Amino acid sequence: MKRIVIDGRIINSSTGRYVERLVEHLQDVDTENEYIVLVPTKDNDYWRPRAKNFRVQTADFKNYSLEEQVGFAKFLYNLDADLVHFCMPQQPLLYLRPHVTTIHDLTLLNTYNSDKNWLVYHLKQLVGRAVFFVIGHSSRHIIAISNFTNRAYRNFAKIPATKITTIYEASDIPAGKKTPMQLPYKEFILYVGQQSDYKNIKRLMQAHQQLLATHPDLGLVLVGSKNEAAQRNEAWAKARNFKNITFTGFVSNEELAWLYSECGTYAFPSLMEGFGLPSLEAMAFGAPVTSSNATCLPEINGDAAHYFDPTDVDDMANKIGQVLTNSTLRARLVAAGKKQIKKYSWHTCAKQTHQVYLAALKK
């Protein structure tokens, strides 16, 4: 029996969905080895194991900090693991025992978020570049969540194709009740997620304003935490007197299910993604998806999305308008979406990740 530690410090975050689903399904895949799932103290009750060979342990170390580099390394050595799975690139470079790493995207290295302190962010980028490069060589294996991310990281870290494996994420088939939200419009475009600059929300709002000329009652619903990035976008829209835009802040799972099910289209305007899980979640609820054609999104969405150039507001408005008005196109996208989500499975993700563990343990 081997002891495998999974660094799940991001479990209660948007990217943490990957960690939570992975450890949930690993319980059905591996009933022999011992697993320790590390979570922050504040998230100690966020996920509870149902298998006897899994347990949760708290670990409070700030990402990209000296504390992470020194304290977390010591913490991990004391756990005496046979293998550690870092579910994000941030990890102590001083930890030299066997480990594998999941790379979700290279966004940190290639973007700047205007809601962040310029100097601090760029210093963090410098640290990030060093960490991203070193872990490609210190990890026994790298997991990428799309072929796009696989190629981008392989080229950045200068590692052979044999050292990195693409393992796709998935979306869950929706279940449970839906709770309607009170909105001032019946037809709306939906976006769910963070609103950092690379998410391209300002251009989506501009495209929506163009569509009001032909769809005067059309709303744009932006779901996600009202953090500084969202507040800046909201202030930017108000300064331009943009109409029919709702920044929801946090919504419950039941409300989110209703929004996905009732939207005229789910719009994904991002300039850069590593996988793009929200579009698959939208498809699972039967929403027609209108998407950016950038980075991994055509790979993940296939023919189940209507694509636009994310840097062209006119093209974005035109393609969203086509989905809203063309019932034949909408029906095709909904049907294609139902097929597309069946290509992805969290259980398969767990099985393939487990195979990476076994191979890494043999090296």
Side-chain angles (χ1 to χ4, degrees):
M1 183 176 70
K2 301 294 185 180
R3 174 175 291 175
I4 300 172
V5 171
I6 297 178
D7 180 10
R9 289 175 296 149
I10 59 161
I11 196 165
N12 189 9
S13 69
S14 56
T15 309
R17 181 67 170 166
Y18 164 78
V19 181
E20 190 269 330
R21 291 287 83 195
L22 173 63
V23 295
E24 182 64 29
H25 287 270
L26 273 173
Q27 294 174 102
D28 299 319
V29 172
D30 190 346
T31 58
E32 298 179 359
N33 293 305
E34 177 191 2
Y35 285 83
I36 302 174
V37 182
L38 303 180
V39 303
T41 300
K42 65 181 179 63
D43 298 324
N44 190 35
D45 293 323
Y46 184 80
W47 177 81
R48 306 307 300 172
R50 51 184 167 76
K52 293 181 180 179
N53 58 321
F54 280 70
R55 65 183 173 91
V56 172
Q57 186 164 334
T58 58
D60 296 300
F61 301 94
K62 189 176 180 180
N63 293 331
Y64 299 108
S65 66
L66 180 62
E67 181 187 29
E68 179 180 62
Q69 291 302 311
V70 179
F72 192 32
K74 182 179 179 181
F75 178 91
L76 290 171
Y77 279 120
N78 288 336
L79 289 179
D80 194 28
D82 296 289
L83 183 70
V84 173
H85 179 187
F86 294 105
C87 293
M88 290 286 281
Q90 53 262 40
Q91 59 191 258
L93 300 184
L94 294 174
Y95 186 76
L96 303 177
R97 294 193 63 178
H99 59 277
V100 300
T101 301
T102 296
I103 301 292
H104 295 266
D105 56 55
L106 274 67
T107 302
L108 173 66
L109 311 186
N110 298 315
T111 62
Y112 168 63
N113 295 328
S114 58
D115 61 308
K116 307 295 184 183
N117 177 281
W118 188 93
L119 180 60
V120 172
Y121 190 88
H122 282 82
L123 287 173
K124 185 176 178 181
Q125 274 189 323
L126 289 175
V127 175
R129 293 187 76 85
V131 171
F132 272 62
F133 184 84
V134 170
I135 63 178
H137 301 271
S138 64
S139 299
R140 289 199 170 182
H141 204 76
I142 299 292
I143 296 169
I145 62 172
S146 66
N147 289 329
F148 174 85
T149 299
N150 185 317
R151 291 189 298 270
Y153 183 72
R154 194 184 341 139
N155 292 335
F156 170 80
K158 310 301 183 194
I159 60 173
T162 54
K163 196 174 184 180
I164 184 167
T165 299
T166 297
I167 300 178
Y168 287 127
E169 296 183 342
S171 65
D172 292 315
I173 302 300
K177 67 177 183 178
K178 302 171 185 176
T179 301
M181 290 188 65
Q182 297 299 318
L183 296 173
Y185 21 75
K186 291 184 178 180
E187 186 178 37
F188 59 92
I189 303 164
L190 178 66
Y191 170 82
V192 178
Q194 295 295 318
Q195 295 190 31
S196 303
D197 291 359
Y198 73 92
K199 294 294 188 178
N200 207 25
I201 302 303
K202 289 179 181 177
R203 287 196 181 100
L204 176 60
M205 292 191 291
Q206 290 174 312
H208 166 255
Q209 294 302 293
Q210 285 192 17
L211 286 164
L212 290 178
T214 52
H215 300 73
D217 298 321
L218 178 67
L220 172 61
V221 178
L222 303 172
V223 176
S225 171
K226 276 203 176 185
N227 55 21
E228 188 173 347
Q231 291 172 24
R232 286 196 180 200
N233 282 335
E234 187 170 21
W236 187 87
K238 286 182 178 179
R240 286 155 181 79
N241 199 29
F242 282 5
K243 300 177 180 179
N244 290 21
I245 301 178
T246 299
F247 290 77
T248 67
F250 172 81
V251 301
S252 68
N253 289 335
E254 293 78 14
E255 290 171 323
L256 183 58
W258 182 85
L259 289 167
Y260 273 132
S261 300
E262 297 297 322
C263 68
T265 183
Y266 180 81
F268 208 160
S270 187
L271 298 169
M272 181 179 296
E273 290 292 331
F275 184 80
L277 186 57
S279 58
L280 294 185
E281 292 180 342
M283 292 175 194
F285 282 96
V289 172
T290 317
S291 174
S292 159
N293 63 9
T295 61
C296 71
L297 294 174
E299 172 192 346
I300 302 304
N301 295 329
D303 64 356
H306 197 45
Y307 294 101
F308 53 76
D309 177 352
T311 65
D312 187 336
V313 173
D314 293 339
D315 188 45
M316 192 185 302
N318 182 45
K319 297 300 173 50
I320 292 175
Q322 289 174 5
V323 173
L324 294 175
T325 58
N326 188 325
S327 58
T328 301
L329 174 60
R330 288 174 58 81
R332 183 189 70 75
L333 290 173
V334 170
K338 294 293 186 182
K339 292 180 180 178
Q340 189 70 9
I341 61 173
K342 293 179 181 179
K343 297 179 181 179
Y344 307 100
S345 160
W346 285 118
H347 185 75
T348 300
C349 173
K351 285 177 61 179
Q352 293 174 342
T353 303
H354 181 246
Q355 291 301 311
V356 169
Y357 293 167
L358 296 182
L361 285 165
K362 292 177 181 177
K363 290 184 179 179

